[in-house]
Amino acid sequence: MKTKQKMVSEFRRAEIVDAARSVFARKGFAGGIVDEIANEAGIAKGTVYLYFRSKKEIYRAVLDRDMEFSKKGTLERMDAAGNLKDKIRAFTLARLENAEAKKEFFRIMDAEFGSVSFTRSQYRDWLREPVLRLASAIEDAARRGEIRPVPSEKIAWLVADMTRGTIRRRLLGRSDTPPGEDAELLVGFTWAALAAE
Amino acid sequence: MKTKQKMVSEFRRAEIVDAARSVFARKGFAGGIVDEIANEAGIAKGTVYLYFRSKKEIYRAVLDRDMEFSKKGTLERMDAAGNLKDKIRAFTLARLENAEAKKEFFRIMDAEFGSVSFTRSQYRDWLREPVLRLASAIEDAARRGEIRPVPSEKIAWLVADMTRGTIRRRLLGRSDTPPGEDAELLVGFTWAALAAE
DNA sequence: TTGGCGGATGACCATACAGTCATTATAATA
DNA sequence: TATTATAATGACTGTATGGTCATCCGCCAA
């Protein structure tokens, strides 16, 4: 039965990816051991290689899946928001909460985004779409006179940077406030900067 | 002759640290090979172990030295600045330029700050001093009525986060503007947020 | 009950690498 | 120059680990 096979197989893959995320988050790419991933997934090492060609491929699968999930969630929440301020809040909050819920994944992103060479080009642009959408919203609001005119794309990236930096600080344990609070501060700050004139 | 010995020894240590920085930046901690560090320093692997007990110790030395340098530079430039806006600019610009000049180091910081377990506690707080100084400046300015009243420490961290995020984006090659330009945008944005009422 | 089949296993192999240490080269001193 | 002290070397060792593959297991149809 083809369908059932496929389902079982997808399930196994997902289990392995979950285990891998946890191991890589703890040890990084080079430090993460396939045997450990297998253990954590409750299977033998050999089995891992039935589902993935290599350690690299497992790593890529982890990042792929989680980035896709994070990007999708962010875009959806932004679409649901009405005005600019809400969109900014949606963007920031989605990312902060995502980071909170998936600390492990974000620790990987933080840890090896820039250093494991084969992931760089793959992941350079995953934020671009949400940011560009934010930029459009800023531009529209400026055109309608709700905020002062600003270089919208640059400002959008700045908001993204601020969010990223906040996530990082939270991951390092230098913030013990709930994500909503950090987000609110960020949104208020940004709004003050945009509304001013 | 004690002094000369010491000098030679310090010089060698520095050479090794320089080579290590380059290797670790390229490959991460686990991926960085001691033999490669030795080669790059133009010495044999055994010699490395005359100056450092272990690979970990080399890694720590790299981070120690560069963080110290970066922190010192940032504080000095902030002290030299007169008013709040200049202090914010000093803080941001010092860090951006530092990141530009020492891409390798920052790539390490970015890469493994949060994942190599033995470095976490060591480096969690290296930014604290500059940020707290920025917070004081904000507080003073608010007291003098130059800006609106804000939760100074939180805002200071927010500025730090924004700077960190910008550095990260620059490292990933998503920004091709000179550091001064990014800094100016950031400072202007922050100033608008603070001056607003 | 048997035969066959695909998924699962883990012992095994080859390689890579951190760290050691006996030996050698170099410099200081007398 | 001879002697001693110090720095440097790189072959070697033990261990860890990515990836393979002969074998096994459990299920199902006949």
Side-chain angles (χ1 to χ4, degrees):
Chain A
M1 203 209 267
K2 188 71 182 300
T3 317
K4 180 138 179 226
Q5 276 322 310
K6 192 63 192 295
M7 251 187 55
V8 168
S9 169
E10 280 308 313
F11 181 67
R12 259 295 143 78
R13 268 184 79 94
E15 279 187 324
I16 294 169
V17 166
D18 285 340
R21 172 171 35 244
S22 145
V23 171
F24 285 138
R26 242 181 293 126
K27 312 278 187 74
F29 174 71
I33 294 150
V34 177
D35 241 324
E36 204 177 328
I37 295 173
N39 273 352
E40 204 151 321
I43 56 178
K45 183 166 64 166
T47 310
V48 170
Y49 283 90
L50 296 179
Y51 293 89
F52 294 93
R53 247 182 252 287
S54 67
K55 189 177 163 181
K56 272 190 186 185
E57 203 181 296
I58 305 173
Y59 192 75
R60 263 192 273 251
V62 173
L63 291 182
D64 260 344
R65 151 137 26 148
D66 287 350
M67 283 199 337
E68 189 52 35
F69 180 85
S70 164
K71 178 178 171 180
K72 229 176 104 186
T74 304
L75 285 177
E76 276 167 10
R77 288 178 72 158
M78 284 178 74
D79 280 345
N83 57 38
L84 175 60
K85 193 170 182 183
D86 284 344
K87 273 196 204 305
I88 297 173
R89 184 180 289 112
F91 175 87
T92 299
L93 201 51
R95 302 200 61 222
L96 282 179
E97 284 180 355
N98 215 311
E100 196 70 13
K102 297 210 158 196
K103 271 202 164 78
E104 288 185 335
F105 159 59
F106 268 84
R107 209 156 265 149
I108 295 179
M109 292 288 292
D110 218 58
E112 315 230 24
F113 199 96
S115 89
V116 177
S117 60
F118 64 87
T119 64
R120 265 225 238 161
S121 61
Q122 189 182 6
Y123 301 109
R124 180 169 297 170
D125 295 331
W126 76 290
L127 248 191
R128 175 161 283 158
E129 210 176 320
V131 169
L132 290 186
R133 208 170 288 195
L134 187 58
S136 300
I138 292 174
E139 191 137 348
D140 290 346
R143 200 173 291 124
R144 284 197 304 273
E146 288 169 37
I147 60 169
R148 67 191 175 100
V150 290
S152 58
E153 194 175 329
K154 282 178 192 297
I155 296 296
W157 278 110
L158 202 56
V159 172
D161 291 345
M162 207 170 4
T163 307
R164 196 68 191 65
T166 302
I167 287 172
R168 181 190 178 85
R169 179 155 51 89
R170 292 179 63 86
L171 284 182
L172 286 175
R174 251 188 318 225
S175 173
D176 44 5
T177 51
E181 207 167 304
D182 277 348
E184 221 40 59
L185 183 74
L186 199 160
V187 172
F189 185 82
T190 301
W191 194 249
L194 292 177
E197 178 48 354
Chain B
M1 204 211 267
K2 189 70 180 302
T3 317
K4 181 137 181 227
Q5 275 322 310
K6 193 63 191 293
M7 251 187 55
V8 168
S9 168
E10 280 308 313
F11 180 67
R12 260 295 141 79
R13 270 184 77 95
E15 278 186 325
I16 295 169
V17 166
D18 285 341
R21 171 170 37 243
S22 145
V23 171
F24 285 137
R26 241 181 296 127
K27 311 279 188 74
F29 174 71
I33 294 151
V34 176
D35 242 324
E36 204 178 328
I37 295 173
N39 272 353
E40 203 151 322
I43 57 179
K45 182 166 64 164
T47 309
V48 170
Y49 284 90
L50 296 178
Y51 294 90
F52 295 92
R53 245 182 254 288
S54 68
K55 190 177 162 182
K56 273 190 186 184
E57 203 181 295
I58 305 173
Y59 192 75
R60 266 194 269 253
V62 173
L63 291 182
D64 260 344
R65 149 128 40 140
D66 287 349
M67 283 199 336
E68 190 51 36
F69 180 84
S70 166
K71 178 178 171 180
K72 229 177 107 187
T74 305
L75 285 177
E76 275 167 10
R77 289 177 72 157
M78 284 178 73
D79 281 345
N83 56 37
L84 174 60
K85 193 170 182 183
D86 284 345
K87 272 194 206 306
I88 297 173
R89 184 180 288 112
F91 176 88
T92 299
L93 201 51
R95 302 200 61 222
L96 283 179
E97 285 180 356
N98 214 310
E100 197 69 13
K102 297 209 155 197
K103 272 202 164 77
E104 287 186 336
F105 160 60
F106 268 83
R107 208 154 265 148
I108 295 178
M109 292 287 292
D110 218 58
E112 316 229 25
F113 199 95
S115 89
V116 177
S117 60
F118 64 88
T119 63
R120 267 225 235 157
S121 62
Q122 188 184 6
Y123 300 109
R124 180 168 295 168
D125 295 330
W126 76 290
L127 249 191
R128 176 160 281 158
E129 210 177 320
V131 170
L132 291 186
R133 209 170 289 195
L134 187 58
S136 301
I138 292 174
E139 191 138 348
D140 290 346
R143 200 172 293 125
R144 283 197 304 272
E146 288 168 36
I147 60 169
R148 69 191 173 99
V150 290
S152 57
E153 194 174 328
K154 281 178 193 298
I155 295 297
W157 278 110
L158 202 55
V159 172
D161 291 346
M162 208 170 3
T163 307
R164 194 70 192 63
T166 301
I167 287 173
R168 181 190 178 84
R169 180 156 50 90
R170 292 179 62 86
L171 283 183
L172 286 175
R174 253 187 316 225
S175 172
D176 45 4
T177 51
E181 206 167 306
D182 278 347
E184 221 41 59
L185 184 74
L186 199 160
V187 171
F189 186 82
T190 301
W191 194 249
L194 292 177
E197 179 53 357

mmCIF file of all heavy atoms in Angstrom, chain B residues 56-71:
data_model
loop_
_atom_site.group_PDB
_atom_site.id
_atom_site.type_symbol
_atom_site.label_atom_id
_atom_site.label_comp_id
_atom_site.label_asym_id
_atom_site.label_seq_id
_atom_site.Cartn_x
_atom_site.Cartn_y
_atom_site.Cartn_z
ATOM 1 N N LYS B 56 40.324 24.056 23.459
ATOM 2 C CA LYS B 56 39.394 24.946 24.160
ATOM 3 C C LYS B 56 40.086 26.224 24.608
ATOM 4 O O LYS B 56 39.547 27.320 24.473
ATOM 5 C CB LYS B 56 38.846 24.259 25.416
ATOM 6 C CG LYS B 56 37.630 23.418 25.211
ATOM 7 C CD LYS B 56 37.061 22.999 26.581
ATOM 8 C CE LYS B 56 35.906 22.033 26.412
ATOM 9 N NZ LYS B 56 35.276 21.694 27.726
ATOM 10 N N GLU B 57 41.275 26.051 25.160
ATOM 11 C CA GLU B 57 41.978 27.215 25.701
ATOM 12 C C GLU B 57 42.329 28.199 24.589
ATOM 13 O O GLU B 57 42.269 29.414 24.787
ATOM 14 C CB GLU B 57 43.237 26.753 26.443
ATOM 15 C CG GLU B 57 43.701 27.752 27.478
ATOM 16 C CD GLU B 57 44.962 27.282 28.194
ATOM 17 O OE1 GLU B 57 44.875 26.259 28.894
ATOM 18 O OE2 GLU B 57 46.023 27.922 28.025
ATOM 19 N N ILE B 58 42.682 27.674 23.443
ATOM 20 C CA ILE B 58 42.970 28.557 22.306
ATOM 21 C C ILE B 58 41.713 29.354 21.955
ATOM 22 O O ILE B 58 41.753 30.578 21.759
ATOM 23 C CB ILE B 58 43.398 27.752 21.059
ATOM 24 C CG1 ILE B 58 44.578 26.841 21.390
ATOM 25 C CG2 ILE B 58 43.772 28.696 19.925
ATOM 26 C CD1 ILE B 58 44.935 25.891 20.248
ATOM 27 N N TYR B 59 40.629 28.642 21.887
ATOM 28 C CA TYR B 59 39.355 29.270 21.518
ATOM 29 C C TYR B 59 38.997 30.387 22.486
ATOM 30 O O TYR B 59 38.651 31.493 22.086
ATOM 31 C CB TYR B 59 38.276 28.193 21.517
ATOM 32 C CG TYR B 59 36.975 28.607 20.880
ATOM 33 C CD1 TYR B 59 36.860 28.709 19.506
ATOM 34 C CD2 TYR B 59 35.869 28.878 21.655
ATOM 35 C CE1 TYR B 59 35.659 29.066 18.924
ATOM 36 C CE2 TYR B 59 34.663 29.240 21.084
ATOM 37 C CZ TYR B 59 34.577 29.330 19.711
ATOM 38 O OH TYR B 59 33.392 29.688 19.146
ATOM 39 N N ARG B 60 39.111 30.057 23.758
ATOM 40 C CA ARG B 60 38.825 31.066 24.773
ATOM 41 C C ARG B 60 39.723 32.276 24.602
ATOM 42 O O ARG B 60 39.290 33.420 24.760
ATOM 43 C CB ARG B 60 39.037 30.466 26.161
ATOM 44 C CG ARG B 60 37.771 29.914 26.765
ATOM 45 C CD ARG B 60 37.984 29.653 28.236
ATOM 46 N NE ARG B 60 38.457 28.284 28.410
ATOM 47 C CZ ARG B 60 37.704 27.296 28.910
ATOM 48 N NH1 ARG B 60 36.469 27.540 29.275
ATOM 49 N NH2 ARG B 60 38.181 26.084 29.039
ATOM 50 N N ALA B 61 40.981 32.022 24.291
ATOM 51 C CA ALA B 61 41.940 33.124 24.151
ATOM 52 C C ALA B 61 41.530 34.056 23.017
ATOM 53 O O ALA B 61 41.611 35.277 23.135
ATOM 54 C CB ALA B 61 43.346 32.576 23.914
ATOM 55 N N VAL B 62 41.085 33.462 21.909
ATOM 56 C CA VAL B 62 40.637 34.281 20.781
ATOM 57 C C VAL B 62 39.509 35.198 21.220
ATOM 58 O O VAL B 62 39.556 36.418 21.034
ATOM 59 C CB VAL B 62 40.142 33.398 19.612
ATOM 60 C CG1 VAL B 62 39.523 34.247 18.524
ATOM 61 C CG2 VAL B 62 41.289 32.581 19.037
ATOM 62 N N LEU B 63 38.491 34.618 21.822
ATOM 63 C CA LEU B 63 37.332 35.409 22.209
ATOM 64 C C LEU B 63 37.700 36.451 23.265
ATOM 65 O O LEU B 63 37.302 37.610 23.172
ATOM 66 C CB LEU B 63 36.230 34.497 22.732
ATOM 67 C CG LEU B 63 35.571 33.598 21.680
ATOM 68 C CD1 LEU B 63 34.466 32.773 22.284
ATOM 69 C CD2 LEU B 63 35.019 34.429 20.537
ATOM 70 N N ASP B 64 38.467 36.021 24.239
ATOM 71 C CA ASP B 64 38.888 36.934 25.305
ATOM 72 C C ASP B 64 39.531 38.181 24.737
ATOM 73 O O ASP B 64 39.125 39.298 24.993
ATOM 74 C CB ASP B 64 39.919 36.248 26.204
ATOM 75 C CG ASP B 64 39.285 35.736 27.480
ATOM 76 O OD1 ASP B 64 38.164 36.170 27.792
ATOM 77 O OD2 ASP B 64 39.910 34.920 28.165
ATOM 78 N N ARG B 65 40.531 37.939 23.930
ATOM 79 C CA ARG B 65 41.297 39.048 23.424
ATOM 80 C C ARG B 65 40.438 40.008 22.598
ATOM 81 O O ARG B 65 40.467 41.221 22.798
ATOM 82 C CB ARG B 65 42.450 38.511 22.569
ATOM 83 C CG ARG B 65 42.838 39.427 21.459
ATOM 84 C CD ARG B 65 44.261 39.795 21.348
ATOM 85 N NE ARG B 65 45.178 38.722 21.607
ATOM 86 C CZ ARG B 65 46.279 38.538 20.892
ATOM 87 N NH1 ARG B 65 46.504 39.314 19.853
ATOM 88 N NH2 ARG B 65 47.129 37.595 21.208
ATOM 89 N N ASP B 66 39.653 39.472 21.701
ATOM 90 C CA ASP B 66 38.896 40.333 20.802
ATOM 91 C C ASP B 66 37.751 41.033 21.508
ATOM 92 O O ASP B 66 37.429 42.183 21.203
ATOM 93 C CB ASP B 66 38.379 39.532 19.614
ATOM 94 C CG ASP B 66 39.511 39.179 18.659
ATOM 95 O OD1 ASP B 66 40.611 39.736 18.839
ATOM 96 O OD2 ASP B 66 39.301 38.380 17.747
ATOM 97 N N MET B 67 37.146 40.353 22.465
ATOM 98 C CA MET B 67 36.072 41.009 23.204
ATOM 99 C C MET B 67 36.614 42.152 24.022
ATOM 100 O O MET B 67 36.015 43.222 24.102
ATOM 101 C CB MET B 67 35.399 40.005 24.121
ATOM 102 C CG MET B 67 34.478 39.102 23.341
ATOM 103 S SD MET B 67 33.310 38.326 24.431
ATOM 104 C CE MET B 67 34.192 38.405 25.928
ATOM 105 N N GLU B 68 37.728 41.911 24.634
ATOM 106 C CA GLU B 68 38.353 42.952 25.438
ATOM 107 C C GLU B 68 38.624 44.176 24.566
ATOM 108 O O GLU B 68 38.305 45.302 24.923
ATOM 109 C CB GLU B 68 39.672 42.415 26.025
ATOM 110 C CG GLU B 68 40.309 43.316 27.062
ATOM 111 C CD GLU B 68 39.333 43.732 28.149
ATOM 112 O OE1 GLU B 68 38.483 42.900 28.520
ATOM 113 O OE2 GLU B 68 39.406 44.899 28.602
ATOM 114 N N PHE B 69 39.203 43.909 23.402
ATOM 115 C CA PHE B 69 39.542 44.986 22.478
ATOM 116 C C PHE B 69 38.303 45.765 22.067
ATOM 117 O O PHE B 69 38.264 47.001 22.111
ATOM 118 C CB PHE B 69 40.225 44.378 21.245
ATOM 119 C CG PHE B 69 40.634 45.384 20.219
ATOM 120 C CD1 PHE B 69 41.836 46.058 20.336
ATOM 121 C CD2 PHE B 69 39.816 45.654 19.131
ATOM 122 C CE1 PHE B 69 42.215 46.993 19.383
ATOM 123 C CE2 PHE B 69 40.185 46.592 18.177
ATOM 124 C CZ PHE B 69 41.387 47.256 18.312
ATOM 125 N N SER B 70 37.290 45.035 21.690
ATOM 126 C CA SER B 70 36.057 45.669 21.223
ATOM 127 C C SER B 70 35.381 46.477 22.326
ATOM 128 O O SER B 70 34.938 47.612 22.112
ATOM 129 C CB SER B 70 35.114 44.571 20.720
ATOM 130 O OG SER B 70 33.819 45.078 20.564
ATOM 131 N N LYS B 71 35.334 45.898 23.485
ATOM 132 C CA LYS B 71 34.700 46.578 24.612
ATOM 133 C C LYS B 71 35.438 47.874 24.958
ATOM 134 O O LYS B 71 34.827 48.933 25.124
ATOM 135 C CB LYS B 71 34.709 45.637 25.827
ATOM 136 C CG LYS B 71 34.131 46.223 27.090
ATOM 137 C CD LYS B 71 34.154 45.164 28.170
ATOM 138 C CE LYS B 71 33.800 45.729 29.541
ATOM 139 N NZ LYS B 71 33.840 44.667 30.581
#
